[in-house]
Amino acid sequence: MTTIYDIAKRAGVSPTTVSKVLNGYPDVSLKTRGKVQRIMSELGYQPSAAARSLATNRSMTVGVFFQDHVNSGLRHPFLHDVLASFKDVVGGKGYDLLLFSDAERENFPSGFEARAKHRDVDGLLLVGVPRTDPGLVALARSRIPVVSIDLDLIGSRASYLMSDNLGGTRAAMSFLLNNGHRKIAFIGDRLGTKPGHDRMLGYQQSLQELDLPFRSEWMLDGDFTEVSGYEAMKKLLQVSELPTAVFCASDMMAIGAFRALQEVGKKPGQDISVMGFDDIELARYVTPSLTTVRQNKEEMGRLAAFELLELMAREDKPPTVITVDTEIVVRESVCSIS
Amino acid sequence: MTTIYDIAKRAGVSPTTVSKVLNGYPDVSLKTRGKVQRIMSELGYQPSAAARSLATNRSMTVGVFFQDHVNSGLRHPFLHDVLASFKDVVGGKGYDLLLFSDAERENFPSGFEARAKHRDVDGLLLVGVPRTDPGLVALARSRIPVVSIDLDLIGSRASYLMSDNLGGTRAAMSFLLNNGHRKIAFIGDRLGTKPGHDRMLGYQQSLQELDLPFRSEWMLDGDFTEVSGYEAMKKLLQVSELPTAVFCASDMMAIGAFRALQEVGKKPGQDISVMGFDDIELARYVTPSLTTVRQNKEEMGRLAAFELLELMAREDKPPTVITVDTEIVVRESVCSIS
DNA sequence: TGCATTAACGAAAGCGGTTTTGTAATCATC
DNA sequence: GATGATTACAAAACCGCTTTCGTTAATGCA
């Protein structure tokens, strides 16, 4: 490895000076600076990030805890997209991402805070992390800048971001009503996620405000996956009076509901309307294509990145909760009824 | 930050000893070891990865260059899955992943090798990297262990891994023949990727060996995306004699082909059979569901991980090319004809 | 009892940078 | 031309951990 000392010797200056050109300090003459830079590129010099971290206590990396696998329904296709746009923004500022593995090894640091400190990350992004994780409280108290997505973690330097689940759901309910639907069932979330909770709230509020009938058999729940949507719909089909539309808290559950309907010879989008939430890639491709509430994934990633950059930049940046607008995407799975 | 010195002072031993218990050296008495460990956990001590990297020249991270966006057709849904299973395996060995951002900033190291050295990664995974990247040659020559996926990069310590594209394609062709298809068109890859090339090879070889008719108008190409498949199929529909089946080098192109067919009132899977490659999640959900050649994503990730772990462990591990078996998934988009 | 081993621990020199402080030389100012 | 301010550079301590090489004390053996 070629070090700062090698450069210094070749250039006939001190390591200090080399370091200074590396960091753009002003007190280096133009001539010296040029010479040093030339030698650096001649030797293909690369500063060691580890050494720099050690000295500065900054690593230019942001750590990411990304729980996939779990609940592959909501998570999988969706969160990767927000991560991608997040990466683009922070990457533009020179940060690389450290993707923490979720394999817990004995004798290895465990818990968000410990692992973040271990790796000296400058900030943290939490994505797909369950609300129940015991490490969250410690993290909220810590001085580590963190932004979480779809998880209502607020702390001394912890902001969070999620779609306007309440508003999106209410818009969806109005949309259904405008299409003549008054008997609307709901397939929600038994996992206790914050987005799931808000969507349920939106459903209930809408029922009240729009003066729609409430029936407890019309409230089912699942875990965001296709099969849970399938099963919920199965159960729904048993009740004495059927709704004309069902609103699902995730697209995957809506797709599962499709299947349950088709199995009993009913056509989704004609016999019973189905609406989803998320607008995953699949939504356009299923038959009938899925009318749904779109979460703006790219925007979420971008905003999360900006927020985290600010938290990292200013010690006193107050934590925020950020809400991202949703949008109704009209396709074929909701029909108008008289 | 609490350091090894703080622990040492509290325990009444030298920093050396603390370091030794940290690393499991044998020359520490049971009593001392226990005491030190207790104090560590009392103080919530976390060793600094940066300091350790600096001292040992190992970082316990593997770097990942992941080009998404580009060619979102093949890439997107597919490669994330292999990355996930890769992460699980290396994570189990204590490695975290460093996801390099592809935003090139001026004044920042560029090129695979430079960035890898900058971050002191112990190994590298290349995924979705175009064959034409100028940094590849340097990387192949370097001493950095690297495994690439779907990219035929071989070097002093560089192995690569890809599906059995040739075999998979040939199996697909036989499958089509067994279903009575002799007039088979091909939508391939104009990008020059290695998998694309092998699939085309498989097509041509099969034509010869199975004694099937070759027509140059039956060879189209695209870039793995849906729209390119759509356009290729459009073009194909113009030719004087239509094939009875078309084999596409990616599922997304097959889905694009569906659309082109439907636009002219033809039913994919009935009027013209369509077969894809990859078995992305979508394949099961489109109508008709897509008969395709499955790439075993989880297996690819796992094998890539094992290979990289070996390359990192042994200086003299010879580079290998690994081939992962494919499998035909029969669904509805191919029909039997007389 | 004397000697060679072995077990347990510590001193100190790195690893490759950054940063504070200092100093010599140049410059502007009156 | 003496004084103070600037400019350009360097010495050296430090960041937190590893590792080599000693050293001392305890142990084994004859």
Side-chain angles (χ1 to χ4, degrees):
Chain A
M1 247 239 122
T2 115
T3 80
I4 214 178
Y5 290 86
D6 305 328
I7 308 287
K9 192 173 302 173
R10 282 254 214 171
V13 298
S14 77
T16 306
T17 302
V18 177
S19 172
K20 283 181 176 170
V21 348
L22 220 41
N23 293 286
Y25 278 59
D27 61 340
V28 178
S29 73
L30 227 63
K31 210 166 63 175
T32 317
R33 180 182 306 275
K35 185 182 207 171
V36 169
Q37 282 173 331
R38 191 164 33 71
I39 297 191
M40 284 203 215
S41 60
E42 273 176 27
L43 268 55
Y45 167 75
Q46 275 312 313
S48 145
R52 184 175 285 184
S53 278
L54 187 55
T56 59
N57 226 3
R58 304 193 55 204
S59 63
M60 292 308 278
T61 73
V62 333
V64 176
F65 285 97
F66 191 135
Q67 243 91 319
D68 28 17
H69 308 302
V70 229
N71 310 336
S72 58
L74 170 65
R75 313 291 181 216
H76 212 52
F78 182 74
L79 296 179
H80 274 119
D81 287 342
V82 347
L83 185 58
S85 77
F86 177 87
K87 186 179 92 164
D88 287 345
V89 175
V90 297
K93 293 289 182 186
Y95 290 90
D96 290 319
L97 300 191
L98 188 79
L99 210 48
F100 287 102
S101 71
D102 22 38
E104 295 273 329
R105 292 185 73 228
E106 66 169 328
N107 216 340
F108 254 66
S110 74
F112 303 116
E113 189 186 5
R115 299 186 67 185
K117 282 165 70 178
H118 170 70
R119 288 290 190 184
D120 269 324
V121 298
D122 298 337
L124 228 42
L125 177 74
L126 262 46
V127 131
V129 171
R131 233 172 170 179
T132 52
D133 194 298
L136 289 178
V137 280
L139 187 57
R141 269 200 275 276
S142 78
R143 299 301 299 158
I144 304 172
V146 19
V147 169
S148 7
I149 289 179
D150 277 1
L151 166 69
D152 47 331
L153 179 75
I154 200 90
S156 51
R157 300 186 72 186
S159 298
Y160 72 83
L161 174 150
M162 61 182 69
S163 281
D164 181 10
N165 293 296
L166 193 77
T169 303
R170 295 173 52 151
M173 293 293 286
S174 295
F175 172 79
L176 288 171
L177 178 59
N178 289 341
N179 280 275
H181 297 277
R182 296 190 49 82
K183 305 185 198 167
I184 305 176
F186 177 74
I187 301 183
D189 152 39
R190 79 169 74 93
L191 263 36
T193 69
K194 173 75 168 157
H197 180 253
D198 286 353
R199 291 170 202 175
M200 148 126 73
L201 233 56
Y203 171 70
Q204 292 176 325
Q205 289 184 8
S206 296
L207 288 188
Q208 287 214 306
E209 290 173 19
L210 306 178
D211 197 32
L212 301 177
F214 168 81
R215 304 192 49 163
S216 62
E217 317 110 62
W218 288 353
M219 287 201 53
L220 293 303
D221 55 20
D223 55 10
F224 294 111
T225 64
E226 181 185 0
V227 1
S228 74
Y230 169 82
E231 281 161 4
M233 186 53 118
K234 272 284 201 217
K235 206 176 297 174
L236 180 59
L237 287 168
Q238 315 275 321
V239 309
S240 50
E241 190 182 2
L242 286 182
T244 65
V246 23
F247 178 76
C248 304
S250 84
D251 284 351
M252 281 315 276
M253 292 198 292
I255 290 170
F258 277 15
R259 227 181 58 219
L261 285 171
Q262 283 156 346
E263 263 185 21
V264 299
K266 290 196 190 302
K267 287 194 193 270
Q270 288 179 234
D271 303 326
I272 290 194
S273 290
V274 176
M275 193 158 173
F277 204 113
D278 286 346
D279 194 32
I280 61 178
E281 189 191 19
L282 262 177
R284 294 172 44 220
Y285 291 98
V286 288
T287 312
S289 59
L290 185 63
T291 296
T292 189
V293 181
R294 167 181 300 158
Q295 298 200 63
N296 195 331
K297 316 180 253 288
E298 289 73 25
E299 183 75 356
M300 292 177 78
R302 284 186 47 241
L303 291 179
F306 290 138
E307 176 69 15
L308 187 57
L309 287 172
E310 276 194 60
L311 283 171
M312 293 190 302
R314 295 181 19 222
E315 185 84 25
D316 61 332
K317 162 86 173 65
T320 328
V321 5
I322 300 173
T323 303
V324 181
D325 281 342
T326 59
E327 177 188 354
I328 295 214
V329 182
V330 180
R331 298 205 181 90
E332 305 165 346
S333 67
V334 171
C335 63
S336 261
I337 61 180
S338 52
Chain B
M1 247 237 128
T2 113
T3 79
I4 215 179
Y5 289 86
D6 305 328
I7 308 287
K9 193 173 301 174
R10 282 254 215 172
V13 298
S14 77
T16 307
T17 302
V18 177
S19 171
K20 284 180 176 171
V21 349
L22 218 43
N23 293 286
Y25 278 59
D27 61 341
V28 179
S29 73
L30 227 64
K31 210 165 66 176
T32 318
R33 180 183 305 275
K35 186 181 204 171
V36 169
Q37 283 173 331
R38 192 165 33 70
I39 298 189
M40 285 203 216
S41 60
E42 273 177 26
L43 267 57
Y45 166 75
Q46 275 311 314
S48 145
R52 183 174 284 182
S53 279
L54 188 55
T56 60
N57 225 3
R58 305 194 55 205
S59 63
M60 291 310 279
T61 74
V62 334
V64 176
F65 285 98
F66 190 137
Q67 243 93 319
D68 26 16
H69 307 303
V70 227
N71 311 337
S72 59
L74 170 66
R75 313 290 181 218
H76 212 53
F78 181 74
L79 296 180
H80 274 120
D81 288 341
V82 347
L83 185 57
S85 77
F86 177 87
K87 186 178 92 164
D88 287 345
V89 175
V90 296
K93 294 289 183 186
Y95 290 90
D96 291 319
L97 300 191
L98 188 79
L99 211 48
F100 287 102
S101 70
D102 23 37
E104 294 273 330
R105 293 185 72 227
E106 67 169 328
N107 216 339
F108 254 65
S110 75
F112 302 116
E113 189 187 4
R115 299 186 68 185
K117 282 164 70 177
H118 170 69
R119 288 292 190 182
D120 267 325
V121 299
D122 298 338
L124 229 42
L125 177 74
L126 262 47
V127 133
V129 170
R131 232 172 170 180
T132 53
D133 194 299
L136 289 179
V137 280
L139 187 58
R141 268 199 275 275
S142 79
R143 298 301 299 159
I144 304 173
V146 19
V147 169
S148 7
I149 289 179
D150 277 1
L151 167 68
D152 48 332
L153 178 74
I154 201 87
S156 53
R157 300 186 72 186
S159 298
Y160 72 84
L161 175 149
M162 61 181 67
S163 281
D164 181 11
N165 294 296
L166 193 77
T169 304
R170 296 174 51 152
M173 293 293 285
S174 295
F175 173 80
L176 288 171
L177 177 59
N178 288 341
N179 280 275
H181 296 278
R182 297 189 47 83
K183 306 185 196 165
I184 307 175
F186 178 74
I187 302 183
D189 151 39
R190 80 168 73 93
L191 262 37
T193 68
K194 173 73 170 157
H197 180 254
D198 286 353
R199 291 170 201 176
M200 150 125 74
L201 234 54
Y203 171 69
Q204 292 176 325
Q205 290 184 7
S206 295
L207 288 189
Q208 286 216 306
E209 291 173 19
L210 305 178
D211 197 30
L212 302 176
F214 168 81
R215 303 192 51 162
S216 61
E217 318 111 62
W218 289 354
M219 287 200 54
L220 294 302
D221 56 20
D223 55 11
F224 294 110
T225 64
E226 181 185 359
V227 2
S228 75
Y230 170 82
E231 282 161 2
M233 186 52 122
K234 272 284 202 218
K235 203 174 300 171
L236 180 58
L237 286 168
Q238 315 275 321
V239 309
S240 51
E241 188 181 3
L242 286 182
T244 64
V246 24
F247 178 75
C248 304
S250 85
D251 284 350
M252 281 315 276
M253 291 198 292
I255 291 170
F258 276 15
R259 226 180 61 219
L261 285 172
Q262 283 156 347
E263 264 186 20
V264 299
K266 290 196 190 302
K267 288 195 193 274
Q270 287 178 233
D271 302 328
I272 289 194
S273 291
V274 176
M275 196 158 171
F277 205 113
D278 285 348
D279 194 32
I280 61 178
E281 189 192 18
L282 262 177
R284 294 173 44 220
Y285 292 97
V286 290
T287 311
S289 60
L290 185 62
T291 296
T292 189
V293 181
R294 168 181 299 157
Q295 298 199 61
N296 195 331
K297 318 180 252 287
E298 289 73 23
E299 183 74 356
M300 291 177 79
R302 285 185 47 240
L303 291 179
F306 289 139
E307 176 68 14
L308 187 57
L309 287 172
E310 275 194 61
L311 283 171
M312 294 190 301
R314 295 180 21 221
E315 185 84 25
D316 61 333
K317 162 86 172 65
T320 327
V321 5
I322 299 173
T323 304
V324 181
D325 281 343
T326 59
E327 178 187 353
I328 295 216
V329 183
V330 179
R331 297 205 182 90
E332 305 165 345
S333 68
V334 172
C335 64
S336 260
I337 60 180
S338 52

